[in-house]
């Protein structure tokens, strides 16, 4: 490696092999309980939890460490209402005017989704995630960013995992198109709305579609060489 400023790695934890196996099993058992839910209670969730989960997301690896993401955490009832109205407007075109096309709509059939998104108002938090094409390691930078969708996708994965580990339900919601989020969230049009993460406690009537429980086996998703 070339000469560069660095510090010794001091916060890495090594565990005995037995414990590693136990931890890998425990992690799998815990994360497999995460389900996308489409009914959220209006019970409030302290802002500090959301802040810490977003801090965790912000530690994700990113292209050249430019951290090309911005998270807008919405709890304002008025803004959630605006998001719901605009998202449902797009979703009505998608589902009811059949903009999605038959193939896509057929693929969604087993999930039972439609244009109604009441959870966008009932959930205590909506986290709009934006991807930045330009930026840098400082927020004032305007350099080119690299591997933007990969970086933002990984950070989003960290966030979903963090929220789940705190005992919160999540839904990755992607109204199509999502451009309206820039306006509602006051973000530069150069940023790309990446995903809307809905989070809170599940509603009493929350369900999991059977279709979503069909997971490919290890042999199907993995090859060892
Ligand atoms: N944005 C729509 C449609 C939708 C698309 C996919 I791909 C999904 O996995 C689920 C839903 C909606 O949120 O209903």
């Amino acid at each position: 490696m070339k000469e560069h400023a660095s510090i010794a790695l001091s916060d890495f934890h090594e565990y005995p092999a037995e414990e590693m196996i136990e931890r890998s099993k425990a992690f799998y058992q815990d994360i497999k309980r995460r389900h996308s839910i489409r009914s959220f209670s209006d019970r409030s969730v302290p802002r500090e939890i959301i802040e810490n989960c977003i801090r965790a997301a912000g530690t994700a690896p990113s292209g050249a460490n430019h951290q090309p993401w911005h998270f807008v955490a919405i709890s304002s009832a008025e803004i959630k209402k605006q998001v719901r109205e605009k998202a449902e407007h797009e979703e009505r075109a998608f589902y009811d005017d059949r903009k999605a096309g038959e193939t896509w709509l057929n693929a969604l059939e087993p999930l039972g989704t439609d244009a109604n998104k009441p959870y966008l108002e009932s959930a205590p938090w909506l986290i709009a995630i934006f991807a930045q094409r330009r930026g840098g390691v400082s927020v004032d930078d305007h350099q080119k960013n690299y591997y933007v969708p990969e970086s933002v996708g990984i950070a989003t994965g960290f966030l979903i995992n963090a929220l789940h580990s705190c005992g919160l339900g999540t839904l990755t919601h992607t109204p199509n198109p999502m451009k309206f989020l820039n306006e509602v969230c006051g973000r530069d049009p150069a940023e790309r709305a990446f995903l809307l993460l809905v989070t809170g406690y599940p509603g009493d009537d929350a369900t999991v579609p059977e279709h979503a429980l069909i997971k490919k086996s290890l042999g199907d998703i993995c090859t060892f060489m």
Side-chain angles (χ1 to χ4, degrees):
M1 288 253 288
K2 280 201 304 185
E3 200 57 38
H4 66 292
S6 62
I7 60 155
L9 175 65
S10 61
D11 50 5
F12 179 81
H13 288 196
E14 181 172 326
Y15 307 102
E18 283 287 295
E19 190 180 339
M20 290 168 81
I21 292 170
E22 283 315 310
R23 291 176 74 96
S24 65
K25 283 185 193 162
F27 184 83
Y28 169 56
Q29 290 304 327
D30 187 61
I31 202 66
K32 79 198 253 273
R33 296 187 301 101
R34 194 218 68 90
H35 307 290
S36 291
I37 50 165
R38 294 177 176 82
S39 166
F40 284 84
S41 147
D42 60 5
R43 273 168 75 193
S44 65
V45 168
R47 172 173 160 158
E48 189 181 352
I49 299 171
I50 304 302
E51 286 178 354
N52 288 333
C53 291
I54 294 174
R55 279 194 180 97
T59 68
S62 63
N65 192 33
H66 282 195
Q67 305 152 60
W69 43 66
H70 189 87
F71 301 88
V72 178
I74 306 167
S75 63
S76 149
E78 200 202 308
I79 300 178
K80 286 192 289 181
K81 185 163 185 269
Q82 275 183 44
V83 172
R84 177 181 180 183
E85 275 167 11
K86 290 182 200 285
E88 286 185 336
H89 176 80
E90 301 297 0
E91 298 290 4
R92 278 194 291 273
F94 182 90
Y95 287 99
D96 304 344
D97 306 340
R98 316 201 77 71
K99 200 177 115 191
E102 286 312 303
T103 313
W104 196 347
L105 292 175
N106 287 341
L108 293 178
E109 191 78 41
L111 295 176
T113 53
D114 63 23
N116 298 313
K117 308 294 178 195
Y119 50 77
L120 293 176
E121 275 194 275
S122 62
W125 292 98
L126 307 178
I127 308 176
I129 305 170
F130 292 88
Q132 302 169 329
R133 288 184 203 89
R134 301 195 76 82
V137 73
S138 150
V139 279
D140 306 318
D141 287 343
H142 300 284
Q143 302 170 48
K144 181 179 159 33
N145 285 336
Y146 304 95
Y147 299 103
V148 173
E150 292 84 350
S151 304
V152 181
I154 295 167
T156 301
F158 275 35
L159 180 56
I160 294 169
N161 196 1
L163 293 163
H164 171 71
S165 75
C166 296
L168 291 170
T170 50
L171 175 68
T172 50
H173 179 48
T174 48
N176 180 4
M178 267 190 290
K179 197 77 206 154
F180 71 87
L181 284 175
N182 289 67
E183 200 196 309
V184 174
C185 299
R187 300 305 299 174
D188 190 311
E191 291 186 355
R192 183 170 74 86
F194 181 78
L195 195 138
L196 187 61
L197 193 63
V198 185
T199 192
Y201 294 100
D204 290 336
D205 59 350
T207 57
V208 181
E210 283 177 17
H211 176 78
L213 293 171
I214 309 166
K215 298 299 180 197
K216 291 176 182 166
S217 70
L218 181 65
D220 286 338
I221 64 169
C222 173
T223 304
F224 285 89
M225 300 182 84

